[in-house]
Amino acid sequence: MTTELATPGEESAATSTILTIADAGEALRSGTTTSVELTTAMLEKATALNPALGAYVEITSDLALEQAEAADAAFSAGSDAGPLQGIPLAIKDIIKVAGVPTTANSRILDPAWGGEADAPVVARLRAAGSVFIGKSTTSEFALGQPDAEKGFPVPHNPWDVTRTPAGSSSGTGVATAAGLAFGGLGTDTGGSVRGPATVNGHSGLKVTFGRVPKAGVVPLGYSLDSIGPMARSAYDCALLLQVMAGYDAADPNAADVPVPSYTAALDGSVEGVKIGLPIPYFFDHDQLDPEVRDGVLSAVQALVGLGATSTEMELAHADKAQHANALILVGEAYAYHRNNMVQRWTTYGKYTRPGLVRGMFYTAADFVQANRFRVLWCEQVAKALQTYDVLITPSAPTTAQVAADMNPSQRLRQPSYTGQWNLSGLPAICIPTGFSSEGLPLSMQIIGKPFAEATVLKIADAYQRITDHHLQVPPVDALITTAA
Amino acid sequence: MSDTTTESTDYDPELVVTAMLAAARLTVSDEEKAQMIKDFPVMRASADELYLPELEFYEPAPKFNPAAYYPA
């Protein structure tokens, strides 16, 4: 079956060159475009490419156009709710949006889960005038790989559709990279914002635990979950976070900590910033791709050129920290899923259930011990961050893997560089550093102190002011089939 | 493609996994169980590594505050 699609070719010159939230905001306010025009183009592109890229579980066209019209009317009336007004975004389908089913990409979950109201973070985006293009695909229950037999769209990496787009915030990652949204929401419990940002070639911020209220989100790991912004640029992540962050009583883990201006510090300067490079495990592992490592080190040198300093250092037990995060995650997740796993095992996807069941195999003492180790790890990292402003590591040991070669058992036997920062609750942003010899995105990760999102965003933004890796767009139009 | 390596242990992973699945009342396929038997030693080893001597005087991260459930 082929689809005749004239819209991508007909997309106006104005909309086709708008890549970021910041650019879109300027265009909206200068009258170069309207939210309806941006949204219409994006909806048509999303619809055309979803069969190939699987970014969305549901494209919410009516809602999006309604919101776009409201945004344009507000602009016309002289009302401006801020940088997100009129901006099309993707919402990960484990986050509640009023009036729209939430599936968690699972046949287990009642789509009416969570009731009728928006999750608090979604309510904030709605109040800011943003536009919801759709509910983006996720690994089932934010864990594991997609199972095509369950009937949900399977997301694909837009740089190479045979490769994984990573998870679990796959759909928002794919949509952001391919221009099917300007950005959106993901969640991160062990790397699920940062992984997709890494392999899809854009920016993704895991926030400090408690920075963004996580009520209205299907839980994975209660003491690890966070909602984070995903967008092309760190600057756009800052614009999103400005709206998302802040206390909400609906989340017992929400932090009542003032929200600073995340864009105020984005002045391109990193003069005097002290960067720590934890070499053992993060930079010397035998499974670390040399191109990934070299990309990070090259980026660090660029930051040094801007006035930062970098020092090699050590963080003991980084591998154990990854394991402790994984243990706590599956323990907390299995408690949530236990009854359904007993009663409806095969209703879960075939790649989800072996991951979830690991929570059953660990003992209660193991869970407690992982939480004792957690304190040691937090103390160690905090000591390091007394000396350094940030730590920088590779985002992942490799570029995007071939999807057909992946299985849940691999993850037990591979290094990973993201869960350590969920374990310690710290903010961490992943941004592109270039492309591999195979044309796949490379990425680095910048980790900061608790509630120092402004610092990690500042450093990421400074790097992106002198590079354009985050602005590269995969050649997705070739994936649209046209009528003969 | 599943991992085919089998870790060396001083216990029988098949006995352990079989018993734990039974106790948890989980019915899995033979293929799934076989992979769990291969994976269990890796998981067990990663958990065992966390029992570090230097954690002797460490309390777990989560803290319980009973007063949190009562009006101020």
Side-chain angles (χ1 to χ4, degrees), chain A residues 195-352:
Chain A
T198 294
V199 303
N200 293 301
H202 58 82
S203 307
L205 173 65
K206 173 217 164 299
V207 300
T208 307
F209 184 73
R211 175 73 287 181
V212 175
K214 58 186 177 79
V217 181
V218 180
L220 176 60
Y222 296 103
S223 70
L224 302 165
D225 287 340
S226 63
I227 308 177
M230 302 170 73
R232 276 199 191 282
S233 69
Y235 191 90
D236 283 359
C237 286
L239 293 176
L240 284 163
L241 185 60
Q242 199 69 61
V243 171
M244 295 163 60
Y247 177 77
D248 190 296
D251 176 8
N253 289 295
D256 195 359
V257 171
V259 179
S261 167
Y262 291 115
T263 53
L266 304 188
D267 59 4
S269 170
V270 293
E271 187 69 40
V273 168
K274 297 186 290 292
I275 299 168
L277 302 178
I279 299 302
Y281 187 72
F282 294 103
F283 285 92
D284 66 0
H285 201 284
D286 59 12
Q287 291 186 49
L288 174 62
D289 184 329
E291 286 190 283
V292 170
R293 182 196 62 225
D294 293 346
V296 177
L297 294 177
S298 176
V300 169
Q301 283 311 303
L303 291 170
V304 170
L306 293 176
T309 62
S310 77
T311 308
E312 295 185 358
M313 39 81 75
E314 293 189 11
L315 276 177
H317 306 310
D319 56 337
K320 296 182 184 65
Q322 177 61 28
H323 297 154
N325 173 264
L327 194 160
I328 293 169
L329 187 160
V330 295
E332 293 178 346
Y334 187 74
Y336 179 81
H337 286 280
R338 182 259 189 191
N339 288 347
N340 277 324
M341 295 219 93
V342 170
Q343 296 164 14
R344 305 169 69 189
W345 174 261
T346 55
T347 307
Y348 285 90
K350 62 186 176 187
Y351 301 115
T352 307

Side-chain angles (χ1 to χ4, degrees), chain A residues 460-482:
Chain A
D461 174 71
Y463 179 74
Q464 289 179 342
R465 286 171 184 246
I466 59 170
T467 59
D468 65 358
H469 311 307
H470 59 295
L471 297 176
Q472 303 308 307
V473 181
V476 294
D477 286 351
L479 298 172
I480 301 171
T481 57
T482 53

Side-chain angles (χ1 to χ4, degrees), chain A residues 317 323 338 341-342 345 353 357-358 361-362 365-366 369 371-372 375-376 379 407 409 412-413, chain B residues 1 3 20 24-28 32 35 38-39 43-44 46 50-51 54-56 58-61:
Chain A
H317 306 310
H323 297 154
R338 182 259 189 191
M341 295 219 93
V342 170
W345 174 261
R353 46 195 197 239
V357 79
R358 288 176 190 157
F361 284 115
Y362 293 117
D366 292 338
Q369 189 64 14
N371 273 298
R372 295 173 78 200
V375 176
L376 174 70
E379 288 178 348
N407 68 77
S409 295
L412 290 174
R413 297 164 173 84
Chain B
M1 182 172 65
D3 186 271
M20 293 184 83
R25 294 187 286 129
L26 293 171
T27 305
V28 308
E32 288 177 315
Q35 191 60 50
K38 288 194 176 78
D39 290 343
M43 292 172 51
R44 190 63 250 157
S46 69
L50 300 178
Y51 288 86
E54 54 258 51
L55 295 177
E56 169 74 19
Y58 276 74
E59 298 219 355

Side-chain angles (χ1 to χ4, degrees), chain A residues 206 224 374 377-378 381 419-426 447 450:
Chain A
K206 173 217 164 299
L224 302 165
R374 189 172 195 172
W377 176 250
C378 286
V381 176
Q420 296 89 345
W421 319 114
N422 301 83
L423 190 71
S424 45
L426 299 177
I447 302 112

Side-chain angles (χ1 to χ4, degrees), chain A residues 181-199:
Chain A
F182 283 107
L185 299 185
T187 66
D188 196 311
T189 307
S192 292
V193 160
R194 292 163 288 163
T198 294
V199 303

